[in-house]
Amino acid sequence: MASKKRGGKAIVVGGSIAGLSCAHALIAAGWEPTVIERSGVPPSRSPTGAGLGLDPQSREIISRWISNPDLLHRSTFPLSVDLNRATNSEEKISRTLTRDESLGFRAAHWADLHAILYKSLPPDLVLWGYQFVSFQVSEDKSKVVAKAKVVQTDELVEIIGDLLVAADGCLSSIRQQLLPKFKLRYSGYLAWRGVLDFSGKEDSDIIVGIRRAYPELGDCLYFDLANKTHCVLYELKNKRLNWIWYINGPEPEMKGTSVTMRVSDDMVKKMHEEAEKVWVPELARVMKETMEPFINVIYDSEPLPQLFWDYVVLVGDAAHPTTPHGLRSTNMSIVDAEILGHCLEKWGLENLHIALKDFQDLRLPVVSDQVLHARKLGRLKQGLLLNDQKTFFNPLMSTSDECLQLQQRTMPYFQGAPTAS
């Protein structure tokens, strides 16, 4: 019987879903992770109120990490149906373009999934209120040293490990140190997002109306396509409706270190007015009744040439910023973590470079294909030209074959990414 490989100590930068997933996978591999996160406390609710879709592979992975696998099922809603519809904005009617009844996803709220992952970790593993500053390799070339600032005191501390895992999102400061010339690519559109909490209002006119217009809510991922715009709608657990409306336009001027924009009352009012022009009345009303809608500016990037450098590895959106149309971001992060853990367990600390090379060989082709395909889906649904076409997709004049391109199952590795070389 082969001897168990020696684990090491890993510094994981970022306490969102990617970082917590890495912590779980590292523990399973026999490593000791320390997660550093700029936020001062665990989130009690999502600051951006985002919904997400989990595919079967990700759910199976998470179920092995957590102590009560049934909790994940009970905290999510099924998304069995992938339904794309064309909306005629003048007549305010919709017709089906393509329907897939075997999607197999489940809908989760960001805060719910984060809580499930966090509460299944050992206490004190996440250092809340620690802002990553920089990293360097130790003088003897044996360790990586991360510097972090304690937010409350401004104290600068050093954390020493055998591996630095960059799970710090699409604006990753670690990636910026490794690839100083790297730039995100603006997609050509932004997204209004919101979650309508209708608890206690299940029999209200707005909920009765939206269920009439969208009768499969609770089991369906709706994509409504109008002229050069589209909207996503699905139901979340605990009486919530998640919607995302994509709008073409020039890249806005961003301030700070977030892809989420602050919005004014005037911006929200104009969004409501435009929604009434574009969408069926029931959907426009859901948008109007949603508290605190916000804007995400949509970016992705060209696939990176590599995912690791010596003692540093990129995972999640730090490794592959992607547009959201293939429901890939969270799922890619979870699979990244799982495969990183497998490779580290297989090769051990003594073969760290081989382990990271194995991880890169497994993940880079997959995530590169998925990022580019998600970009294609977004451009199709937004009526933007693709590189190899001279005409844009028109949902009101599309053929059946053209509509099949809209389905989620056209995503490379839709049935699951390879986990072993």
Side-chain angles (χ1 to χ4, degrees), residues 11-64:
I11 308 161
V12 180
V13 179
S16 191
I17 288 171
L20 298 188
S21 296
C22 285
H24 278 283
L26 288 162
I27 291 171
W31 279 58
E32 298 178 27
T34 297
V35 180
I36 60 175
E37 166 56 42
R38 176 177 54 188
S39 303
V41 294
S44 58
R45 57 183 289 272
S46 171
T48 54
L52 53 91
L54 291 173
D55 66 21
Q57 184 176 29
S58 293
R59 299 200 306 275
E60 191 274 331
I61 291 169
I62 294 171
S63 295
R64 286 190 275 105

Side-chain angles (χ1 to χ4, degrees), residues 293-320:
F294 62 96
I295 291 177
N296 272 157
V297 184
I298 308 300
Y299 293 95
D300 67 5
S301 77
E302 297 302 318
L304 298 184
Q306 61 193 91
L307 298 179
F308 82 97
W309 290 256
D310 296 326
Y311 301 90
V312 183
V313 62
L314 306 182
V315 299
D317 288 344
H320 36 72

Side-chain angles (χ1 to χ4, degrees), residues 186 189-190 249-255 261 295-299:
Y186 176 57
Y189 47 92
L190 49 80
E251 181 177 7
E253 182 178 346
M254 300 295 290
K255 297 180 180 179
M261 283 179 57
I295 291 177
N296 272 157
V297 184
I298 308 300
Y299 293 95

Side-chain angles (χ1 to χ4, degrees), residues 140-159:
D140 63 0
K141 309 294 184 184
S142 65
K143 302 285 184 180
V144 62
V145 181
K147 291 185 178 180
K149 183 178 72 173
V150 182
V151 175
Q152 283 192 337
T153 65
D154 283 341
E155 177 189 4
L156 202 62
V157 299
E158 289 187 347
I159 305 171

Side-chain angles (χ1 to χ4, degrees), residues 148-200:
K149 183 178 72 173
V150 182
V151 175
Q152 283 192 337
T153 65
D154 283 341
E155 177 189 4
L156 202 62
V157 299
E158 289 187 347
I159 305 171
I160 300 173
D162 301 293
L163 175 66
L164 181 66
V165 181
D168 52 343
C170 68
L171 296 173
S172 171
S173 58
I174 295 175
R175 186 189 59 222
Q176 195 62 35
Q177 287 186 238
L178 297 166
L179 298 169
K181 295 183 180 180
F182 174 88
K183 301 292 183 185
L184 290 175
R185 170 194 166 276
Y186 176 57
S187 64
Y189 47 92
L190 49 80
W192 277 97
R193 303 192 66 170
V195 174
L196 174 65
D197 183 343
F198 61 92
S199 52

Side-chain angles (χ1 to χ4, degrees), residues 88-132:
N88 185 317
S89 298
E90 292 184 1
E91 299 179 12
K92 297 295 188 293
I93 57 174
S94 298
R95 67 174 179 86
T96 297
L97 295 173
T98 179
R99 178 185 177 90
D100 178 6
E101 297 185 356
S102 57
L103 179 59
F105 279 57
R106 290 188 73 87
H109 192 279
W110 184 95
D112 295 342
L113 180 59
H114 188 276
I116 289 170
L117 291 170
Y118 176 59
K119 291 177 181 178
S120 296
L121 288 170
D124 304 322
L125 186 146
V126 181
L127 302 180
W128 300 101
Y130 280 62
Q131 182 172 358
F132 173 81

